[in-house]
Amino acid sequence: MTPSLCTRIPSLRYATSALTLLLAGCVSGPDHVPPQTPLPAKFKEGGGKSHGDVVTAQWWTAYRDEQLDSLVAQGLSENLDVLQAIESINAASANVTVAGAGGLPSLYVDASHTVSGEKGSERTTIGTTNTTGGEASLSWLLDLFGQYRRSRESAIASLGAAYATADDAKLSFLKDLVSSYVDARYYQQRVALSKANLKSRQETYELTQLQLKAGAASRLDVVQAEGLVRSTKADIPGLEQSFTVSAHHIALLLGMPAASLMNELQRSAGQPVFRGDIRAGIPADLIRNRPDIRKAERDLAAAVADIGAAEAQLYPSISLSGSISPSWVKSSGASGGTLTSWSFGPTLNLPIFDGGKLRANVDIEKSDAKTQYLAWKAAVLNGVEEVENALSAVRHDAQTLEPLRRQVETAQEALALSTTSYTDGASSLLDVLDAQRSVSDAQASLAATVQQVAKDYVDLYVAVGAGYLSRQAPVASERAAKSG
């Protein structure tokens, strides 16, 4: 029913039935309609099959790292950002009650007892009066045009946004934790490779010293070998520091003091390698699965409801109020008596001239709703972009792994051959040193690519909105996100 129809109450004799209809179905402003925007049928480098609801998909288990699984399980219940976001749901839930309370009757009861009297010059009590009274006050603002119903709709939508915000905090936590774990293992691998290379270069340096004593090497050879040893030693502290920083950040994500996990993480488990399938789904899946998009949609729903609440203030409002105040009075030397006063009546508030304030409030809410729609559309397009970028990164970075593994093997073979040739006196030390650098560079490139591919999968599954809810959790949050 539109506001114009709501104002057409035919006559006083139909007031009761008309009032009933008004209270039941007359609401100002537009109803929220789920927004839409054109999307491609599939991602450019993805398939055309929808994978449906992926919010409970535990994609990180595809790394087959039990320690990582344990950290994720612990962090989802202990991360401070997640806990703060969850706590905000309680406030949003209370706001639903506050928003709807204005349209309900309110009853207040007061009670009092007083003793009064007078004293003369002889300090004698001339008269004492005991008065016991109470008052019950009832008021009810009739929500004829749905101001409070729209406010409650807005609060319910904001509650859904609070749930989505908590889900988004969990998704951000997953990305941060798994990426930090991948980084920690990468630096750990680099330290291990550097120490292995240091051992090899130390052996070359010692061999060069022996050959110098035998007259088969020059002082320049010794200095070059020693320089490579020292440069390798210089790399290790920086890598160890980077590992420490990553470990400290993981502890922070779990709500623990910085050094709490150092001993646990120092037990090397190798670099994580994703061994699962690519499940990107289709662009339409993002609207359901990504919490930032759901939050934007709920924010839009709240803004649309606020339009109705603002429009309702343009029309007359009626409030019913009444009170009853019984009192019992007894004076000294007299019998007590009861006095009761009461009042009841309606109050009409008719906005006639307000300098355009109420109409401007409607315009403000309409503008806010348009802004929220644009924010929702931007969130959708941003989600599509993130998935497209992640798919491209996964496919292209993964293609470099096998060539890099082969490059490491050939560099190691070249090092072995050059070392043998140098020991036999058939080649120079420079060939050995170059081969050692090639091995070190190839190993570092391979480790960095393994790290990047592992993080590409993190980016992909976070981009599609996967894994932030346990298998028992989605019902409540989904209901709150879609209600209103």
Side-chain angles (χ1 to χ4, degrees):
M1 185 180 293
T2 63
S4 60
L5 292 177
C6 290
T7 59
R8 297 174 186 173
I9 302 175
S11 65
L12 186 60
R13 64 180 176 175
Y14 297 120
T16 303
S17 59
L19 179 61
T20 302
L21 291 173
L22 285 169
L23 294 176
C26 187
V27 181
S28 299
D31 292 326
H32 173 65
V33 178
Q36 296 182 351
T37 189
L39 292 173
K42 60 184 290 293
F43 295 109
K44 181 179 179 181
E45 299 190 42
K49 180 181 178 182
S50 170
H51 293 295
D53 193 345
V54 298
V55 298
T56 61
Q58 298 180 344
W59 49 268
W60 58 88
T61 59
Y63 291 102
R64 301 180 187 178
D65 189 315
E66 293 182 357
Q67 188 174 44
L68 175 59
D69 296 344
S70 175
L71 293 174
V72 170
Q74 179 181 351
L76 283 173
S77 60
E78 299 295 336
N79 179 260
L80 298 180
D81 290 337
V82 172
L83 293 177
Q84 289 180 59
I86 291 175
E87 187 60 34
S88 68
I89 294 174
N90 296 331
S93 180
N95 280 333
V96 174
T97 302
V98 172
L104 299 175
S106 61
L107 175 65
Y108 296 93
V109 177
D110 296 325
S112 63
H113 177 79
T114 60
V115 179
S116 60
E118 297 179 357
K119 290 184 178 182
S121 59
E122 300 291 332
R123 296 189 179 182
T124 58
T125 301
I126 296 176
T128 300
T129 302
N130 288 273
T131 304
T132 301
E135 181 179 8
S137 301
L138 175 68
S139 63
W140 185 13
L141 177 62
L142 302 182
D143 196 16
L144 300 180
F145 299 99
Q147 175 182 350
Y148 290 104
R149 278 169 286 173
R150 288 301 194 192
S151 295
R152 188 172 185 276
E153 286 180 18
S154 177
I156 291 174
S158 295
L159 175 60
Y163 272 102
T165 299
D167 293 341
D168 197 35
K170 294 176 183 178
L171 195 60
S172 297
F173 159 77
L174 286 174
K175 180 176 181 178
D176 202 354
L177 177 68
V178 179
S179 296
S180 296
Y181 186 83
V182 169
D183 288 342
R185 293 307 184 199
Y186 162 73
Y187 292 122
Q188 204 170 39
Q189 177 72 2
R190 286 291 310 277
V191 169
L193 291 172
S194 294
K195 288 182 177 179
N197 290 332
L198 177 61
K199 181 180 178 181
S200 173
R201 292 171 182 179
Q202 185 70 38
E203 291 173 351
T204 301
Y205 172 55
E206 293 172 356
L207 175 61
T208 306
Q209 287 181 313
L210 293 175
Q211 290 190 331
L212 176 63
K213 293 179 180 179
S218 66
R219 178 61 185 170
L220 177 60
D221 292 337
V222 174
V223 171
Q224 288 177 328
E226 182 181 8
L228 196 56
V229 168
R230 295 191 181 279
S231 67
T232 306
K233 284 184 178 180
D235 291 338
I236 294 176
L239 295 171
E240 291 177 334
Q241 171 63 12
S242 296
F243 167 78
T244 299
V245 170
S246 296
H248 288 173
H249 188 60
I250 292 173
L252 173 65
L253 292 174
L254 270 61
M256 303 169 64
S260 302
L261 296 175
M262 282 299 298
N263 292 336
E264 181 179 348
L265 292 174
Q266 281 174 343
R267 295 192 292 270
S268 178
Q271 285 189 267
V273 176
F274 193 86
R275 296 180 175 85
D277 298 328
I278 298 177
R279 298 174 59 86
I282 59 176
D285 292 337
L286 301 181
I287 296 176
R288 174 181 57 252
N289 293 329
R290 281 186 59 125
D292 59 330
I293 296 177
R294 286 197 291 107
K295 178 184 181 301
E297 188 275 334
R298 290 289 82 199
D299 287 339
L300 172 59
V304 171
D306 288 338
I307 296 175
E311 286 189 356
Q313 297 182 41
L314 297 173
Y315 305 108
S317 63
I318 298 176
S319 59
L320 303 177
S321 61
S323 66
I324 182 170
S325 304
S327 61
W328 182 81
V329 181
K330 183 180 184 304
S331 300
S332 59
S335 59
T338 301
L339 176 65
T340 300
S341 62
W342 61 273
S343 65
F344 177 79
T347 300
L348 174 65
N349 179 23
L350 183 62
I352 297 178
F353 181 74
D354 62 357
K357 174 183 175 182
L358 296 179
R359 178 59 64 182
N361 286 338
V362 175
D363 294 338
I364 290 171
E365 299 301 340
K366 287 182 177 180
S367 178
D368 183 54
K370 292 178 182 179
T371 301
Q372 294 301 334
Y373 168 73
L374 295 174
W376 174 84
K377 186 174 181 179
V380 173
L381 296 178
N382 179 68
V384 173
E385 179 192 16
E386 288 182 358
V387 176
E388 294 280 21
N389 291 340
L391 280 171
S392 178
V394 164
R395 297 191 184 281
H396 291 86
D397 290 342
Q399 292 174 2
T400 65
L401 284 173
E402 189 56 35
L404 285 173
R405 289 192 179 99
R406 182 56 185 162
Q407 182 182 357
V408 171
E409 293 173 358
T410 56
Q412 289 173 333
E413 183 179 0
L415 174 59
L417 293 174
S418 62
T419 301
T420 301
S421 179
Y422 174 66
T423 304
D424 295 339
S427 63
S428 67
L429 176 64
L430 185 59
D431 295 332
V432 177
L433 298 181
D434 287 341
Q436 287 179 335
R437 291 191 187 94
S438 296
V439 169
S440 178
D441 292 343
Q443 290 175 332
S445 296
L446 176 59
T449 302
V450 171
Q451 173 202 27
Q452 186 57 55
V453 172
K455 294 175 74 170
D456 288 342
Y457 281 101
V458 176
D459 292 340
L460 174 60
Y461 281 92
V462 168
V464 300
Y468 55 85
L469 290 183
S470 67
R471 301 189 187 280
Q472 295 78 24
V475 176
S477 64
E478 194 70 13
R479 184 185 298 118
K482 293 182 178 179
S483 60

